Amino acid sequence: MTAPTAVGAVRLGLRANLPQFALLVAVNALVGAMVGQERIVVPLLAEQAFAIGAFTASLTFIVVFGFTKALTNLAAGGLSDRYGRKPVLIAGWLIGIPVPLLLIWAPSWGWVIAANLLLGVNQGLTWSTTIVMKIDLAGPNRRGLAMGFNEAAGYLAVAAMGWATGWLAAEHGLRPAPFLLGLAVAALGLGLSAVFVRETHHHARHEATNHTPRKGEHHDGLTGWQIFTLTSFREKALSAASQAGMVNNLNDGLAWGLYPILFATSGLGLARTGILIAIYPAVWGLGQMLTGWLSDRWGRKHLITAGMLTQAAGIALVAASTGFAVWALAAVLMGAGTALVYPTLLAVIGDVAHPAWRARAVGVYRLWRDSGYAIGALIAGITADLLGLRAAVWLVAAITALSGLIVAIRMYETRHAAPPALAQRRR
């Protein structure tokens, strides 16, 4: 592992750290591609290879993935503060290597569940760590832009991998071709992280040393439980961001688990279904390069509110319509809404959290955000089994709209604004 840089030699900012920042963007694209290999193929495996009829049962892989990733996110922040960012990143890639192999060889649905447990750990360690490392490098003035590039790379890769695996499945079958591509991605991610990525924890320590607390800001001496309760419930901006992140991934869990089945059973072929599934993360990914920058200039709150309501409109359009063209428009709306939200929520956490416990706050936020995958899969699966696919989509649209209203009411603007004064005494 590269030896830590002396604090005095550390420079914050994207320009000063451009080579490492660009490398981490590329690494996070590979992280996203690991999820993308499943977006089309695994839901169809449940139906065609394992004959799982009930929606709730077929979505168990997303439930396992979501809860595992959520809990790993929480652990990743503390581990990266204690042992450094790079070892956590490498550990995540090592755990991801068996995932495509299990999916190729799976003789039963239980193997798919096991693969998604490992995928959740892989994503929790690698994606959380690349986020924290980019925040470390960027410093306080370009967090939104940094998160825009991070999330854009990840979700453009989800889209590209979804399209590629859909094409491979149409040409060569559901297994093994799509997952051989996933195996190559995992090996490349591990190699780049082990050989070329450098430790960034010293950047966070440098920022903490030079950090001047604003009036009412939370100090650096908080316990893990205090950080958890602040991020989850007590601090208005942090808690509003946490619930919005959870609902955002709740509707992404719906898109992942049920949209391929809805589109395919409505008469669309596998290739056209693959295009629809790819449009949503592609717009999401591309848009974040703009929206992260906009949040640095215009502020965070209104972008998040608008994004949640735009997502709700797109989901409602899926429920209310039929046909490739209208569903493509709905996918664009969902992608645009998510682009407004995703990097901006992470920037809110970076704005409010003290540098000394920012990695742990990111972990708590991502605990709630990625639990949305599991909660969304359960809600969508149960509702689809009881009332039908479209009823599940309508329900998720309503939940998403409600989340946007909560942000509008509860969150204050965090960009260049001091948070409301709160008690700093330890409880």
Side-chain angles (χ1 to χ4, degrees):
M1 186 174 70
T2 304
T5 304
V7 169
V10 169
R11 295 175 61 198
L12 302 179
L14 296 183
R15 184 173 299 176
N17 296 285
L18 187 58
Q20 273 296 298
F21 185 86
L23 175 61
L24 288 167
V25 169
V27 169
N28 203 57
L30 298 172
V31 175
M34 288 293 289
V35 178
Q37 70 181 313
E38 291 200 348
R39 297 290 287 203
I40 296 173
V41 179
V42 172
L44 297 177
L45 276 177
E47 184 180 42
Q48 298 177 20
F50 299 109
I52 298 175
F55 293 117
T56 307
S58 69
L59 298 184
T60 50
F61 79 99
I62 300 178
V63 175
V64 169
F65 169 82
F67 280 136
T68 304
K69 184 183 178 189
L71 292 172
T72 307
N73 288 332
L74 184 62
L79 290 171
S80 67
D81 275 344
R82 184 169 184 177
Y83 299 109
R85 298 8 176 168
K86 182 172 178 173
V88 176
L89 180 62
I90 292 172
W93 280 118
L94 288 170
I95 292 168
I97 291 287
V99 171
L101 297 174
L102 288 172
L103 294 170
I104 289 170
W105 296 330
S108 67
W109 190 241
W111 281 51
V112 178
I113 299 299
N116 275 270
L117 188 150
L118 293 179
L119 182 64
V121 177
N122 158 262
Q123 293 292 296
L125 294 178
T126 54
W127 205 310
S128 291
T129 305
T130 58
I131 286 171
V132 171
M133 294 176 90
K134 289 186 184 69
I135 293 176
D136 289 345
L137 295 175
N141 294 323
R142 292 291 182 267
R143 286 194 184 108
L145 181 61
M147 291 303 92
F149 275 101
N150 185 80
E151 301 303 283
Y155 286 98
L156 282 172
V158 171
M161 194 71 162
W163 173 83
T165 53
W167 179 83
L168 286 170
E171 294 293 320
H172 304 288
L174 295 178
R175 294 189 288 183
F179 302 117
L180 292 174
L181 184 57
L183 184 62
V185 164
L188 181 58
L190 176 61
L192 288 176
S193 299
V195 178
F196 297 108
V197 169
R198 295 199 297 267
E199 182 59 64
T200 66
H201 195 188
H202 42 279
H203 286 74
R205 289 193 292 263
H206 174 71
E207 186 181 347
T209 302
N210 293 276
H211 182 73
T212 303
R214 297 171 296 186
K215 183 179 180 181
E217 188 176 47
H218 307 290
H219 56 77
D220 60 344
L222 300 182
T223 66
W225 177 248
Q226 287 175 313
I227 295 166
F228 178 84
T229 57
L230 279 173
T231 308
S232 303
F233 312 113
R234 289 172 49 207
E235 213 286 330
K236 288 185 176 182
L238 294 177
S239 60
S242 293
Q243 70 81 28
M246 182 178 70
V247 173
N248 184 91
N249 278 15
L250 182 151
N251 62 54
D252 189 38
L254 167 81
W256 183 357
L258 293 187
Y259 279 9
I261 298 171
L262 174 62
F263 298 154
T265 56
S266 297
L268 297 180
L270 187 58
R272 297 186 90 195
T273 296
I275 293 171
L276 284 177
I277 297 302
I279 288 173
Y280 160 47
V283 175
W284 172 359
L286 282 170
Q288 289 174 110
M289 289 188 283
L290 173 63
T291 58
W293 173 78
L294 286 177
S295 78
D296 286 335
R297 296 178 64 86
W298 294 355
R300 323 294 194 196
K301 175 179 176 176
H302 297 306
L303 291 185
I304 296 169
T305 302
M308 297 305 293
L309 296 178
T310 303
Q311 286 179 58
I315 297 166
L317 188 58
V318 170
S321 62
T322 300
F324 180 85
V326 180
W327 279 338
L329 174 60
V332 170
L333 288 174
M334 285 187 64
T338 309
L340 287 167
V341 166
Y342 229 69
T344 315
L345 289 170
L346 284 165
V348 167
I349 306 301
D351 290 342
V352 177
H354 192 284
W357 47 270
R358 186 169 56 212
R360 284 169 286 172
V362 169
V364 174
Y365 160 73
R366 285 171 57 80
L367 165 74
W368 290 113
R369 194 190 73 181
D370 289 324
S371 67
Y373 281 119
I375 295 169
L378 287 171
I379 290 174
I382 293 169
T383 306
D385 282 331
L386 294 176
L387 302 174
L389 274 171
R390 291 182 185 270
V393 180
W394 276 116
L395 178 59
V396 172
I399 293 171
T400 305
L402 178 61
S403 175
L405 295 177
I406 291 172
V407 171
I409 294 168
R410 182 166 174 78
M411 183 180 284
Y412 58 88
E413 179 52 58
T414 65
R415 177 62 179 157
H416 292 317
L422 294 172
Q424 295 183 3
R425 61 184 177 84
R426 298 185 184 182
R427 298 178 183 272

